[in-house]
């Protein structure tokens, strides 16, 4: 009898297998529940083929076995329902978040619904900026993103990028017998820049994912862990140098390396990733500058400009721009001795204002300028007109200033353009390139911090 009961229980256990799965395109990857729905198929259990080798049981034993099977079925059905409810709750949370984002996009971030919100382009730009702050705001060290944040970034950015799939331009096409038709294709700036930004995004994620098994580590500044042994690794001998270097960024964690410094392979890996991140930063910066230059200059900005460019830049800079036969922007920046980002931003605003003023006087100022026009300005091919020459030199000075201060914030003109921009496609390209530019610059800075600590330790040992 015992053998027959055991055989029957085994049959029940074998039939209690997952028979269906639940999937959703919006579900995050959670680790606390499974994506499978463990439902018990009652009909398949009762209609299962009989086991010819089983021993015939008495009616009392059959009743006991059926009661145990029914109880087991009820338990499994309850477990499956609990897991289904967890999955449904996660899906409901995702859909509710999507509804909220969609509502804010339509309302222009004006929850009163009175129509006083910002335009769609500004809403999209703000949303991408806020998403970047949510995902990367607490990322202050060289390490991979968590799975949840990475999925959030990809899912949300795919939603914003899908807007560009419907931004097209109409082009004529000639068929045979002189028949002309029109067809649509993605707008040229989106077709050229959006795939490049996606590739830069993936490359940055790959760089962060490569820092899994590192020879360096981090400790929080001022925490008790700075005095710990960190698993046998000594950081106290060079901690003072790191703190002195980062007094202006006290919120950043302190990188630490072994007492003998990093291995040669680790240093090569860091330098390689730094070069890659630096190239990504330059590419994102170029796309961002190109997009901003294609945006219209708002009338509200033009009304605030002085009548002369000299009044914007001041006598010292104006004299250098006018009198020098051959203009060298690097030498002018050395003369000015800019010591802080605040001074650099103030100078950038003044130079940009004078640039727009001189361009207006030449009659060649359009609300948006092509990249070829900017290249001609920086190369000095601006004609013999004095205003053209001043505008070209101001452009080269501004370009050199941004190269010297890559962490420079946006100028007043850039902020004004973004605020009054109505082109959704340009808003997506500008905000996407801006956040990638910031992330790439942070990666370069974090790698520089680790290499600085390593260099300090090796110099101390020598």
């Amino acid at each position: 009898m015992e053998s027959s009961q055991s055989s029957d229980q085994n049959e029940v256990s074998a039939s209690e297998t997952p028979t269906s799965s639940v999937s959703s395109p919006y579900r995050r990857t959670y680790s606390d529940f499974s994506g499978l729905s463990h439902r018990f198929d009652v009909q398949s259990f009762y209609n299962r083929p009989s086991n010819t080798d089983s021993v015939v049981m008495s009616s009392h034993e059959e009743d006991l076995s059926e009661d145990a099977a029914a109880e087991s079925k009820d338990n499994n059905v309850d477990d499956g329902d609990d897991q289904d409810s967890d999955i449904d709750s996660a899906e409901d949370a995702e859909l509710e978040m999507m509804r909220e984002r969609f509502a804010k996009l339509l309302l222009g971030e004006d929850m009163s619904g009175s129509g006083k919100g910002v335009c769609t382009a500004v809403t999209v730009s703000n949303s991408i900026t806020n998403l970047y702050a949510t995902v990367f705001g607490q990322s202050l060290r060289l390490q991979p993103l968590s799975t949840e944040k990475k999925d959030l970034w990809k899912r949300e950015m795919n939603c914003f990028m899908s807007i560009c799939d419907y931004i097209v331009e109409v082009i004529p096409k000639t068929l045979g017998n002189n028949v002309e038709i029109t067809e649509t294709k993605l707008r040229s700036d989106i077709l050229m820049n959006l795939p490049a930004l996606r590739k830069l995004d993936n490359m940055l994620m790959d760089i962060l994912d490569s820092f899994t098994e590192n020879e360096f580590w981090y400790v929080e500044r001022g925490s008790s862990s700075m005095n710990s042994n960190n698993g046998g690794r000594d950081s106290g001998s060079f901690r003072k140098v790191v703190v002195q270097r980062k007094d202006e960024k006290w919120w950043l964690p302190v990188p630490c390396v072994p007492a003998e410094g990093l291995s040669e392979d680790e240093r090569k890996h860091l330098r390689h990733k730094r070069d890659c991140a630096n190239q990504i930063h330059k590419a994102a910066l170029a796309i961002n500058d190109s997009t901003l230059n294609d945006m219209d200059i708002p009338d509200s900005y033009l009304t605030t400009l002085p009548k002369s460019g000299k009044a914007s830049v001041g006598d010292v800079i104006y004299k250098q721009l006018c009198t020098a036969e051959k203009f060298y922007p690097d030498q002018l920046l050395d003369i000015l001795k800019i010591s802080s980002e605040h001074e650099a931003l103030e100078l950038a605003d003044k130079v940009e204002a004078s640039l727009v003023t001189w361009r207006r006087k030449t009659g060649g100022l359009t609300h948006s300028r092509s990249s070829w026009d900017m290249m001609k300005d920086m190369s000095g091919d601006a004609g013999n007109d004095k205003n053209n020459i001043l505008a070209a030199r101001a452009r080269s000075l501004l370009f050199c200033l941004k190269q010297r201060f890559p962490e420079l914030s946006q100028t007043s003109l850039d902020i004004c353009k973004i605020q009054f921009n109505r082109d959704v496609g340009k808003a997506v390209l500008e905000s996407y390139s801006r956040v990638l530019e910031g992330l790439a610059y942070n990666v370069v800075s974090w790698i520089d911090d680790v290499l600085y600590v390593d260099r300090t330790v090796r110099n101390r040992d020598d």
Side-chain angles (χ1 to χ4, degrees):
M1 293 298 178
E2 293 180 358
S3 62
S4 62
Q5 291 180 352
S6 175
S7 174
D8 189 77
Q9 291 176 355
N10 290 335
E11 291 178 3
V12 173
S13 176
S15 64
E16 297 168 0
T17 57
T19 59
S20 62
S21 61
V22 178
S23 61
S24 171
Y26 300 110
R27 185 187 304 121
R28 299 185 189 181
T29 303
Y30 291 98
S31 58
D32 53 341
F33 60 82
S34 171
L36 296 177
S37 175
H38 295 274
R39 286 194 177 92
F40 182 76
D41 194 343
V42 179
Q43 292 296 329
S44 64
F45 171 73
Y46 281 110
N47 295 331
R48 73 190 188 281
S50 59
N51 188 351
T52 56
D53 295 332
S54 60
V55 181
V56 178
M57 296 183 292
S58 65
S59 60
H60 176 68
E61 291 171 336
E62 288 178 351
D63 292 338
L64 292 177
S65 178
E66 290 177 358
D67 292 340
E71 181 178 359
S72 176
K73 287 186 292 182
D74 293 338
N75 292 335
N76 282 281
V77 170
D78 292 339
D79 293 341
D81 291 340
D82 292 339
Q83 292 180 354
D84 287 341
S85 63
D86 290 340
I87 296 175
D88 292 338
S89 299
E91 291 178 349
D92 292 341
E94 295 288 345
L95 292 176
E96 184 62 29
M97 182 182 64
M98 297 301 295
R99 293 190 188 101
E100 180 183 356
R101 297 289 175 87
F102 184 65
K104 289 182 177 180
L105 183 64
L106 292 181
L107 294 173
E109 300 178 350
D110 177 21
M111 297 300 105
S112 67
S114 59
K116 298 179 181 180
V118 297
C119 68
T120 304
V122 177
T123 304
V124 171
S125 180
N126 293 340
S127 299
I128 294 178
T129 304
N130 294 335
L131 175 63
Y132 172 79
T134 300
V135 175
F136 297 98
Q138 299 300 321
S139 180
L140 304 175
R141 58 188 69 188
L142 293 172
Q143 63 183 12
L145 278 179
S146 64
T147 303
E148 182 178 356
K149 285 189 174 182
K150 188 181 297 184
D151 291 342
L152 173 63
W153 173 254
K154 290 183 178 180
R155 182 177 61 253
E156 296 292 321
M157 286 305 301
N158 285 335
C159 291
F160 292 124
M161 296 304 103
S162 64
I163 300 174
C164 296
D165 295 338
Y166 302 93
I167 300 177
V168 297
E169 57 186 2
V170 180
I171 58 174
K173 184 178 181 181
T174 303
L175 300 179
N177 299 326
N178 295 326
V179 177
E180 291 188 357
I181 63 173
T182 58
E183 62 180 7
T184 60
K185 69 172 185 178
L186 284 179
R187 209 170 66 188
S188 57
D189 58 337
I190 295 176
L191 187 62
M192 179 177 61
N193 292 321
L194 189 58
L197 290 174
R198 286 182 178 274
K199 184 175 182 179
L200 296 178
D201 189 351
N202 293 332
M203 291 172 66
L204 281 173
M205 294 301 106
D206 291 340
I207 290 176
L208 292 177
D209 290 340
S210 67
F211 293 103
T212 53
E213 298 179 359
N214 307 317
E215 296 180 9
F216 58 90
W217 67 99
Y218 291 89
V219 295
E220 296 298 331
R221 186 185 304 277
S223 64
S224 58
S225 60
M226 293 190 70
N227 297 323
S228 63
N229 56 8
N230 292 298
R233 297 175 291 190
D234 181 21
S235 62
S237 56
F238 55 87
R239 187 185 313 125
K240 182 178 180 181
V241 177
V242 182
V243 173
Q244 287 178 349
R245 183 174 185 248
K246 283 191 172 182
D247 277 343
E248 72 282 3
K249 296 182 179 180
W250 52 267
W251 63 89
L252 294 177
V254 182
C256 304
V257 299
E260 64 278 6
L262 300 174
S263 65
E264 187 62 28
D265 291 340
E266 184 75 357
R267 283 195 293 271
K268 288 182 179 179
H269 175 258
L270 287 170
R271 293 191 188 103
H272 173 67
K273 296 303 178 183
R274 185 196 182 281
D275 292 340
C276 293
N278 191 42
Q279 293 301 319
I280 294 173
H281 176 265
K282 292 180 179 179
L285 178 61
I287 295 176
N288 188 260
D289 283 344
S290 176
T291 304
L292 284 171
N293 286 313
D294 287 339
M295 290 183 181
D296 294 339
I297 300 177
D299 293 333
S300 59
Y301 179 83
L302 296 176
T303 56
T304 62
L305 295 177
K307 294 183 179 180
S308 66
K310 180 180 179 180
S312 297
V313 295
D315 294 335
V316 176
I317 298 178
Y318 183 77
K319 183 178 179 181
Q320 292 290 328
L321 293 174
C322 288
T323 59
E325 295 181 0
K326 188 68 175 178
F327 179 66
Y328 298 98
D330 285 324
Q331 293 182 1
L332 178 55
L333 292 179
D334 293 337
I335 294 173
L336 296 176
K337 297 180 180 180
I338 302 173
S339 58
S340 66
E341 181 183 348
H342 176 74
E343 294 179 359
L345 182 60
E346 185 178 1
L347 176 60
D349 286 334
K350 293 178 180 179
V351 173
E352 204 162 43
S354 64
L355 169 62
V356 175
T357 302
W358 288 321
R359 293 292 299 177
R360 291 179 70 187
K361 289 184 176 181
T362 61
L365 176 64
T366 58
H367 286 285
S368 61
R369 304 187 63 226
S370 66
S371 300
W372 173 246
D373 291 334
M374 292 186 296
M375 290 301 297
K376 288 196 300 182
D377 284 351
M378 287 185 289
S379 64
D381 185 14
N384 296 324
D385 184 80
K386 180 179 180 181
N387 289 319
N388 277 331
I389 297 175
L390 290 173
R393 292 180 175 182
R395 167 64 64 182
S396 62
L397 177 61
L398 184 62
F399 179 80
C400 183
L401 182 64
K402 290 183 177 181
Q403 290 291 320
R404 184 170 293 195
F405 295 90
E407 75 280 9
L408 195 65
S409 303
Q410 290 175 318
T411 62
S412 299
L413 177 57
D414 293 342
I415 295 174
C416 195
K417 283 183 175 182
I418 296 171
Q419 181 182 357
F420 289 92
N421 173 52
R422 297 295 181 267
D423 191 309
V424 179
K426 291 179 182 177
V428 172
L429 295 178
E430 189 283 324
S431 55
Y432 196 10
S433 60
R434 172 162 39 87
V435 297
L436 292 182
E437 175 191 340
L439 179 58
Y441 176 78
N442 288 339
V443 172
V444 172
S445 300
W446 297 336
I447 295 177
D448 284 341
D449 290 341
V450 176
L451 292 176
Y452 175 83
V453 174
D454 175 65
R455 186 166 57 252
T456 303
V457 172
R458 289 186 288 109
N459 291 340
R460 180 205 60 185
D461 294 338
D462 294 341

